[in-house]
Amino acid sequence: MGMIGGGKDAFIGAIHRIAANMDGQIELVCGALSMHADIAQESGRMLFLDQDRIYNTYDEMFKAEVQKPANERMDFVTIVTPNFAHFAPAMQALENGFNVVIEKPITFTLEEAQKLKQKVKETGLMLLLTHTYAGYPMVKEAKQLIKSGKLGKVRKIYVEYIQGWLSRLSEREGNAQASWRTDPSKSGKSGCMGDIGTHAAHLAEYISGLKITELNASLNIVVDGRMLDDDGAVLLRFEEGATGTLIASQVAAGEENALKIRVYGENGSLEWAQMEPNTLTVKWLDKPAEILRAGSGYTDRLSSYATHNCRTPGGHPEGYLEAFGNLYRNFALTLSAKIAGEEPKKEWLDFPSIEDGIRGMAFINNVVASNESNEKWTKYTI
Amino acid sequence: MGMIGGGKDAFIGAIHRIAANMDGQIELVCGALSMHADIAQESGRMLFLDQDRIYNTYDEMFKAEVQKPANERMDFVTIVTPNFAHFAPAMQALENGFNVVIEKPITFTLEEAQKLKQKVKETGLMLLLTHTYAGYPMVKEAKQLIKSGKLGKVRKIYVEYIQGWLSRLSEREGNAQASWRTDPSKSGKSGCMGDIGTHAAHLAEYISGLKITELNASLNIVVDGRMLDDDGAVLLRFEEGATGTLIASQVAAGEENALKIRVYGENGSLEWAQMEPNTLTVKWLDKPAEILRAGSGYTDRLSSYATHNCRTPGGHPEGYLEAFGNLYRNFALTLSAKIAGEEPKKEWLDFPSIEDGIRGMAFINNVVASNESNEKWTKYTI
Amino acid sequence: MGMIGGGKDAFIGAIHRIAANMDGQIELVCGALSMHADIAQESGRMLFLDQDRIYNTYDEMFKAEVQKPANERMDFVTIVTPNFAHFAPAMQALENGFNVVIEKPITFTLEEAQKLKQKVKETGLMLLLTHTYAGYPMVKEAKQLIKSGKLGKVRKIYVEYIQGWLSRLSEREGNAQASWRTDPSKSGKSGCMGDIGTHAAHLAEYISGLKITELNASLNIVVDGRMLDDDGAVLLRFEEGATGTLIASQVAAGEENALKIRVYGENGSLEWAQMEPNTLTVKWLDKPAEILRAGSGYTDRLSSYATHNCRTPGGHPEGYLEAFGNLYRNFALTLSAKIAGEEPKKEWLDFPSIEDGIRGMAFINNVVASNESNEKWTKYTI
Amino acid sequence: MGMIGGGKDAFIGAIHRIAANMDGQIELVCGALSMHADIAQESGRMLFLDQDRIYNTYDEMFKAEVQKPANERMDFVTIVTPNFAHFAPAMQALENGFNVVIEKPITFTLEEAQKLKQKVKETGLMLLLTHTYAGYPMVKEAKQLIKSGKLGKVRKIYVEYIQGWLSRLSEREGNAQASWRTDPSKSGKSGCMGDIGTHAAHLAEYISGLKITELNASLNIVVDGRMLDDDGAVLLRFEEGATGTLIASQVAAGEENALKIRVYGENGSLEWAQMEPNTLTVKWLDKPAEILRAGSGYTDRLSSYATHNCRTPGGHPEGYLEAFGNLYRNFALTLSAKIAGEEPKKEWLDFPSIEDGIRGMAFINNVVASNESNEKWTKYTI
């Protein structure tokens, strides 16, 4: 694995490295870790990279790596730069024959995402989009439970993603994370909805298996002086007649990272909350609620998707980093199978990719369009 | 206390009697308990009423009671008939000089509510509207906490009231509760929003001290064959710039009576859920969350409104019936003070009344109007 | 109902009155509410008793009431004096033909309890011992679940009752509740174990259906200057080979009224906590845990004992007062049936009585004996 | 890092590798992964070890590694064999100048542990004992909170570790984990108390800063046919007058890995449960309970020990593997500092070591001795 961005002090780059390291299958071998050469160099040394594989630019990195014999060059590259700087290196990676891991949102605009999709298709290379929450075993269980039909036809989906960390104008107080995320030139046309609303929308579509078809959005800039939405709510219509709501806020003082989803079918419902991720609550219309637990012994009741994505027995909590690690692990297992000319297992293939990226960008576009419209409902278009 | 409606097998009448009995201050002395004379009589006997105060109609009851000396006649009458049959007996009660307790929603239409308001004003009599949830001590604490300003200016209000008991077409299966609640001729122009959405709206306005000014509603009939909405969501704008969402559903399979509110201010937030009502969670932007508990020893931290409405020390859970009892108790304390020519305490006066009833009816009207409109936002009018 | 003790400012007397009032079946008609005549009189007036049935002593009360015609005299008497003053009025009540409700612990000594048992037997009168926690519907469900054998043979019982209100030497600071409870001349030979340990032991035996056969106790006086144990732990052996622990403390700073029980069988286990009493968690060895809820719709899964003891549908929390009310209600239903010459239902008969009182006193004796012994295990004797 | 034991299919070896990998500071470079040469070889290849560093015996490994230049040989060795096979390789490691990581319990007998202690002292080498639970940030916070004195003098400690996985005689059904853990020749003189009771005892002493001085233990073999205790309870006396209980069970059907501790001081208490590890609840005698959260923004309220041991912001749950990783990370940071001749930070030094190992072995000895005694209390001796 090579890495673009993610130099020392960058938050998400460090997370990616932990996730990739976790299962001993992936090794960071090279990087263009910062647009500042000195930081790139220092960061590379801190990560024990070979000196000749610490690159100052990704351009340089692709040129050098592609020259190496296949079994020595990096197998894929991870792009963890701010949103506006995803597209160019991703395209270049694909053009040079490298598989790509990319932080969400996939690009700065939907158009870029479409181009990337085209390139992925052309090259046959793999792309992992790190919608972390889809890596949790009990999220996968939720998806399979809906798919099984046990809860009946889906009627309602409530999803919410509530944070409080932007309750003050932190971007003016030297908070680097806050700074680029609230800057339209770096983050894109939406703040809160782009950053976390997209996670919520992805989770809703992933678990329910239903696509959003119409939406009715209202975005707010709650903190004076901010340039992008820091809060919003969206009424949703899904395929097959389901309806729902999506709430996202970054100004909900006192909240940490409260992503939660509830899906109601005709016979019962499920509830999952990211902050206690090893539990999936299933409530039934006609019988007591059940608590499904990751890693538990009743493996006949859990899908193979859930069990494949656990590392420890029940009661040994796995968390955000393990969920992130699951994305990398499944990507790596699939890549290894591909390299070995073997058929990857269906559980390995269950990681977010280019289509999820397209829908993420479209979600942002549609939410912003709806917010600007006086019409109640806006058709979801791509 | 006299009672209109609430004969044997009626659900809410029995609840009112328990609530009224609870504190030994109120005695049921007469009733017109059913529109069917035989049920009225049988129900009266089951409740140990004196035979001559078991009336067959409320008309008869008012005529007889008003003849009695002041210290023998009933002090007030409780009306627990279905929605469409609230107005007439309430007016007649007031006209005959009786104070009134009335189930919510206060009347069948806003116009009736306005007339009732006028009559209350004219007569100077008291009216208690049983918005039960406003009787919980920690709801009162929440209101006082917001009022204190400790959480800062209110920014967001999320309120939800989710039930599952109408997940099937129970009204066709002999469920009496379901039957009238889903019948527009008995329930009014809204089903779910009228029945439980009004509770949620009341709770939001009661705790935050802010009135809804605009709304963007979408109602659904989820179960085929039903005549009124059984589900809906509303985006809300409040006074002073706060925004929020209100979710209500009666088709959320597996949910019991999940009323929950979260209010976010600049410095922190509060969260209260009816199904664990003795706890108020307060989350702060800059310090650890706190768990405020009803009946707890740190009385310097709880408002007098919370402590007045508890009967037992912390850890002895009080519930729905006690909250209901608090409405009656405060109403009775105020009434007693009034009769005795004394000034009621401010804590006693904190019970829902005619103004809350007006806003409840207006909420229904506005939600239904917004639902029928293609405009995104509808101004809340009375 | 008549009442002995429970004058104004007494805690538990007020609770008894709320519990008795709750269901409209029981009326307080007379009382000897305090050993101080002025308080007795004032308290009686505050409770709207007829002046001629406000007695200054229980002796006076029994003499007067027994003279009244059967349908006018009180049907039973409730004794809510401190422990040392339970026996004499209870005996006199029985001797005068009155049924008895009595606060736990039933008497001051086991010997007194034995005499009372003899008298109950002789007279054929009824006695209710208010082990409140046995009145909760989900405690009854727990008992029936164990009885059903679904969890298999019981192996382990963990019960704990933890409070913090005696963390300081409150008995020296004018806390009346603390004062008599920590005084051996009023409370008996044990403080914490007598006051709350007995509740825990009762709950364990009630739910499991197994009697304690041996114990290994260690009591502590944690707060300097206190005269009775304020803390302790007991290892337990039960019939049929089950073992367990009982923890009780009144110096656990920060705890409210944390009574909790866990029972483990061969196939699964149950867990109930008084502070969230409407939930019974059932954990299975081979399948997901289930959450049984009081008042829920799946009545085929709940025993008739649980459903009989609920007043409201699921999601309307019932609490301590309702549990207390259930004791009174079942006692009153049984009494009414008896008076009417009818067979009481089995669910009505499920209230604590003289045998529970005997075991409570024996528990105190055995715990104190074990605490004073250097032998590890003490046989439980009566 | 080299590894002894932990070949394919071994549970805990895989966990150690994930933990060691996590932060990119430690690389597995060699191993004697099984006592069976073929498994050792296959396992080594699966872990991408260089062929010449896949050893068939640890003897061979030490001989080969010690020959390598200092900057090429492994820095430390991790021993993850069953209990009976800890001592010999650990001694040999130290004798050959290698630092040691060792699974708990440290050895098979206390005598071996004493010898190891002597050797550690002689060589000045480092030893990490993987009491995983001491790696959780909120456990460290708990320790520091007690140390700060804010809760006052410690009065009570309740610790429990409850599992259900040995509810059946799994050791006869081919469960390898169950098999050696219940075999006295491999596990030692205690089963449940050795395996998990030691964790509970360690946690109690670690957080409270108090040592156990006396104990009163009762162990059980609940499942017929088992050779070692699978359940037990211990009454505890600590230094400075604190008392407590320790409950451990592996036959508590339905429980996963329920390690929980509560510590009560004069002014308040704390509660931590392993299955929701990012939360530390602090309950106060005179004010509302507080919820301290790992990774939260109020860093002035959290100790440097808690913040140092988090990788992500609040709301991104970290779990068992991260706690395990913290042990390795702190060990590696200390080791690196030592190698670099720098002073390790105090937060790095906070990992379990030889003294904890000694106390673990002594705990087992004392519990077994107490269990076999008829005397109530047994002095804790080493």
Side-chain angles (χ1 to χ4, degrees), chain C residues 7-43:
Chain C
K8 58 173 191 135
D9 303 333
F11 167 66
I12 203 72
I15 299 296
H16 276 257
R17 286 189 298 265
I18 294 175
N21 269 336
M22 187 168 283
D23 297 297
Q25 299 173 303
I26 298 169
E27 193 183 357
L28 180 67
V29 293
C30 63
L33 298 160
S34 172
M35 43 190 290
H36 305 291
D38 52 341
I39 298 181
Q41 290 296 321
E42 189 187 344
S43 303

Side-chain angles (χ1 to χ4, degrees), chain C residues 51-71:
Chain C
Q51 183 56 47
D52 62 349
R53 295 177 89 175
I54 306 176
Y55 303 103
N56 288 342
T57 66
Y58 61 82
D59 195 66
E60 196 185 300
M61 179 163 89
F62 289 125
K63 284 201 180 106
E65 289 289 317
V66 85
Q67 306 293 336
K68 295 185 190 291
N71 64 340

Side-chain angles (χ1 to χ4, degrees), chain A residues 274-345:
Chain A
Q274 194 266 154
M275 286 168 60
E276 207 179 334
N278 296 290
T279 294
L280 178 68
T281 303
V282 184
K283 298 179 182 172
W284 299 99
L285 190 53
D286 295 326
K287 54 183 183 177
E290 291 178 310
I291 305 297
L292 298 183
R293 295 274 302 160
S296 60
Y298 39 86
T299 42
D300 56 320
R301 279 295 302 277
L302 293 180
S303 72
S304 61
Y305 291 83
T307 51
H308 167 66
N309 285 285
C310 287
R311 290 166 184 80
T312 52
H316 298 78
E318 300 193 31
Y320 176 81
L321 295 170
E322 284 76 20
F324 217 131
N326 287 338
L327 300 186
Y328 269 98
R329 183 167 163 249
N330 288 324
F331 178 75
L333 286 168
T334 303
L335 186 53
S336 301
K338 229 175 135 182
I339 290 169
E342 291 163 7
E343 189 66 27
K345 292 194 187 166

Side-chain angles (χ1 to χ4, degrees), chain C residues 236-297:
Chain C
L236 300 168
R237 287 177 178 163
F238 291 87
E239 296 169 331
E240 301 182 18
T243 61
T245 56
L246 183 155
I247 294 169
S249 187
Q250 298 183 306
V251 296
E255 297 290 358
E256 296 178 345
N257 196 43
L259 172 63
K260 178 175 159 184
I261 187 164
R262 292 171 283 182
V263 181
Y264 296 88
E266 294 163 311
N267 309 322
S269 54
L270 60 82
E271 180 172 334
W272 180 83
Q274 193 266 153
M275 285 169 60
E276 208 179 334
N278 296 290
T279 294
L280 178 69
T281 303
V282 183
K283 298 180 181 172
W284 299 99
L285 189 54
D286 294 327
K287 54 183 183 178
E290 290 177 311
I291 306 296
L292 298 183
R293 294 273 303 161
S296 60

Side-chain angles (χ1 to χ4, degrees), chain B residues 309-322:
Chain B
N309 286 285
C310 287
R311 289 166 185 79
T312 52
H316 298 77
E318 299 193 32
Y320 177 80
L321 295 170
E322 285 75 23

Side-chain angles (χ1 to χ4, degrees), chain D residues 245-267:
Chain D
T245 56
L246 183 154
I247 294 170
S249 186
Q250 298 183 307
V251 295
E255 298 290 357
E256 296 177 344
N257 196 42
L259 172 62
K260 178 176 159 183
I261 188 165
R262 292 171 284 181
V263 181
Y264 296 87
E266 294 163 312
N267 309 322

